[in-house]
Amino acid sequence: SSKSRRRSSSSKSRSKSRRRSSSSSRSCRRSSRRSRRSRDRRGRRRRDDSRRRRRRRDKSQGSAAGGSEAFPASAFAGYGWGGSYRNWAAWSSGDASNSYYQYHSAYPNYYSQRDYATEKPENYMAFVQQHVREGAHGPEVTLSNNMCQDRHVEDLLLCIESWLLRKYGASNVQPWQIGSLDLSKNDLSDESVARIVERLRQLSVRVHSLDLSSNKAGNKGLSALEAYVWNCSEPFHEISLADNEITVEANADDNVVSSFLRCLYNHPSYPRKSSSDSTVMLHPLVLCLSGNKIADLSRLQKDIQKKVGQKARFCSSAEAYKADGEEFLSVYLAERLQAKGEVAKDSKESKEGDSAWQRRKKRRQEAEIATVEDDSEEEVATEIVSEEEEEEDKEIDEEEPKKSKK
């Protein structure tokens, strides 16, 4: 009996040990399966991340190298001129959920981590000291007359990004703003112009006046500019693409110029508005397209006005005007952008051309006209004449001995 008890206890202990070993082996097998699955998941995630990074890099390199055209001329074909798309009550500026906005946000937001100021400090300081100055509407960047060619585009974009980052800080806090960007007369290719415009769009730079005249920009550059205008919440004041290679054939209904104007028509920030004394004033966009291969620009204007009627206006000057009704497009098609101080320079040249006697005579005639209109204006005119006569008496005294000798 004792032996049988010992045998039964030993068999029980053996069965328990077997159970423990089998349970431990099962748990080991389960843990090994879990670890294998987690390793597989991690590997899949790494592969997916690497694929995504590769796609982003390929897209950025393709857009920088000027590959396929991201925004064709018919990009805005789905939104006609006279439809109900332009509704100010239902529209919100910069609405990312809008399909029209999403279509023109197809470029990847790829930002480089390079600092041009530390890579090439001499070139950076030369750019800041020689080509940047403060203006009335913000800093003005001027690189015209072959100062920025195709081989300089990469350095220019890195330099502008480093300069804006050091001047304003991160762009996600406050959008970067430039008063004017002048890249005219550089013979930049169509790919270079598209690359510059696309980089400005990626950096969310607000530009008051953009001058790209006298280059080789074509339809691709204008399409990239169209995407830049659409994704910029603040309106441009002046855009110059004069003397480029934008091509529009005759009797072409769907073309890049019409698409660009349709973008302005549907953009909520155009035309630019200002209010004073309970009156709303509209400011037309100054757009220069002269010197391109556009077959019939006047016919294009007439076709647009037939489609939308009074909602589109092509102004004869850049001056603001009172809004009579609802307008979605207001453009002044200028020959070229007016240089700053040009009017004052012309007046100075006209004054230098006249003699002191002629200038005095003109001012006296103006003063006599002022006295006829209002007696109060006579005192002001005589004061102006007396101040300027003191400066010209010296010139008259120098002219009189010359006349006596003759």
Side-chain angles (χ1 to χ4, degrees):
S1 61
S2 62
K3 288 181 181 179
S4 62
R5 286 175 190 166
R6 288 173 191 167
R7 287 172 188 169
S8 63
S9 62
S10 62
S11 63
K12 286 179 183 178
S13 62
R14 283 195 210 99
S15 63
K16 286 181 182 178
S17 64
R18 284 185 197 131
R19 284 174 199 156
R20 288 196 199 103
S21 62
S22 62
S23 63
S24 62
S25 63
R26 275 194 230 100
S27 62
C28 291
R29 283 197 295 272
R30 286 184 197 131
S31 62
S32 63
R33 286 193 204 111
R34 290 194 197 101
S35 62
R36 204 180 306 120
R37 288 169 188 164
S38 62
R39 284 197 302 271
D40 294 341
R41 281 195 293 269
R42 286 196 295 270
R44 282 196 297 270
R45 284 171 192 160
R46 288 196 207 98
R47 286 193 295 273
D48 294 340
D49 293 340
S50 64
R51 285 196 199 100
R52 290 192 196 98
R53 285 194 295 270
R54 200 180 303 115
R55 285 171 191 161
R56 291 193 197 112
R57 186 171 62 251
D58 294 341
K59 283 183 181 179
S60 62
Q61 290 176 358
S63 62
S68 61
E69 187 173 356
F71 299 105
S74 60
F76 291 85
Y79 303 94
W81 285 99
S84 60
Y85 184 74
R86 182 68 181 262
N87 188 358
W88 290 96
W91 189 285
S92 61
S93 178
D95 187 5
S97 63
N98 195 291
S99 60
Y100 194 71
Y101 189 89
Q102 285 178 346
Y103 187 88
H104 275 72
S105 300
Y107 282 108
N109 291 324
Y110 175 75
Y111 293 88
S112 65
Q113 301 296 327
R114 297 170 59 185
D115 188 5
Y116 191 80
T118 56
E119 288 183 6
K120 299 180 180 179
E122 295 179 357
N123 296 348
Y124 176 79
M125 292 305 298
F127 168 77
V128 174
Q129 293 175 0
Q130 299 177 12
H131 303 289
V132 179
R133 63 178 182 180
E134 289 296 328
H137 302 285
E140 299 177 354
V141 180
T142 304
L143 284 164
S144 58
N145 296 321
N146 295 323
M147 294 298 294
C148 178
Q149 297 180 358
D150 291 334
R151 64 178 184 273
H152 304 137
V153 170
E154 182 65 27
D155 290 343
L156 170 67
L157 297 177
L158 291 172
C159 191
I160 287 177
E161 184 177 356
S162 299
W163 168 65
L164 289 172
L165 184 61
R166 291 170 181 270
K167 184 176 178 63
Y168 295 109
S171 61
N172 55 4
V173 179
Q174 183 181 2
W176 292 335
Q177 294 186 355
I178 296 177
S180 69
L181 179 60
D182 187 1
L183 297 175
S184 60
K185 301 177 182 178
N186 286 319
D187 289 334
L188 292 171
S189 64
D190 192 15
E191 289 77 10
S192 298
V193 172
R195 187 178 179 185
I196 291 169
V197 170
E198 170 53 25
R199 189 58 180 159
L200 294 174
R201 189 199 68 80
Q202 288 177 351
L203 297 173
S204 299
V205 181
R206 312 295 195 249
V207 182
H208 181 275
S209 176
L210 179 63
D211 191 356
L212 294 170
S213 59
S214 300
N215 287 299
K216 296 179 181 178
N219 296 354
K220 185 177 181 180
L222 184 56
S223 298
L225 180 61
E226 178 182 334
Y228 180 28
V229 169
W230 178 254
N231 286 278
C232 187
S233 59
E234 296 182 14
F236 286 79
H237 292 223
E238 297 175 346
I239 297 176
S240 178
L241 287 167
D243 299 325
N244 278 279
E245 297 180 357
I246 300 171
T247 305
V248 175
E249 298 179 356
N251 300 324
D253 295 332
D254 192 6
N255 53 74
V256 288
V257 177
S258 179
S259 179
F260 183 76
L261 295 175
R262 197 180 301 123
C263 170
L264 297 175
Y265 180 86
N266 286 300
H267 200 290
S269 299
Y270 294 92
R272 189 165 48 92
K273 296 181 180 180
S274 64
S275 58
S276 61
D277 298 334
S278 69
T279 58
V280 179
M281 304 294 289
L282 298 182
H283 301 263
L285 171 69
V286 180
L287 181 63
C288 302
L289 293 174
S290 61
N292 288 281
K293 301 175 183 178
I294 302 174
D296 195 353
L297 189 59
S298 60
R299 187 191 66 82
L300 182 63
Q301 299 177 27
K302 292 178 182 177
D303 292 342
I304 293 172
Q305 288 180 339
K306 284 180 182 178
K307 292 176 182 177
V308 299
Q310 300 295 328
K311 293 181 180 180
R313 178 182 294 197
F314 293 94
C315 305
S316 58
S317 66
E319 296 180 357
Y321 60 92
K322 185 179 178 181
D324 297 331
E326 193 177 28
E327 292 185 11
F328 296 155
L329 178 66
S330 179
V331 176
Y332 168 54
L333 295 174
E335 293 293 329
R336 61 185 179 89
L337 294 182
Q338 187 175 3
K340 297 179 180 179
E342 189 174 354
V343 178
K345 185 178 179 181
D346 294 340
S347 61
K348 284 183 180 179
E349 289 178 354
S350 63
K351 285 184 179 180
E352 291 176 359
D354 297 337
S355 63
W357 289 95
Q358 291 174 347
R359 293 200 297 271
R360 177 173 290 184
K361 187 176 179 181
K362 288 180 182 179
R363 275 193 296 277
R364 284 179 177 171
Q365 290 176 355
E366 292 175 358
E368 289 176 359
I369 294 170
T371 54
V372 173
E373 293 178 352
D374 193 357
D375 294 332
S376 62
E377 294 181 0
E378 183 180 1
E379 297 177 359
V380 178
T382 53
E383 288 177 1
I384 295 171
V385 172
S386 62
E387 289 177 0
E388 294 182 350
E389 281 181 353
E390 292 177 0
E391 296 178 359
E392 293 177 355
D393 282 335
K394 297 179 181 179
E395 296 181 14
I396 295 170
D397 294 334
E398 292 176 0
E399 290 177 3
E400 284 180 353
K402 292 180 182 179
K403 291 181 180 179
S404 62
K405 286 181 181 179
K406 289 181 182 179

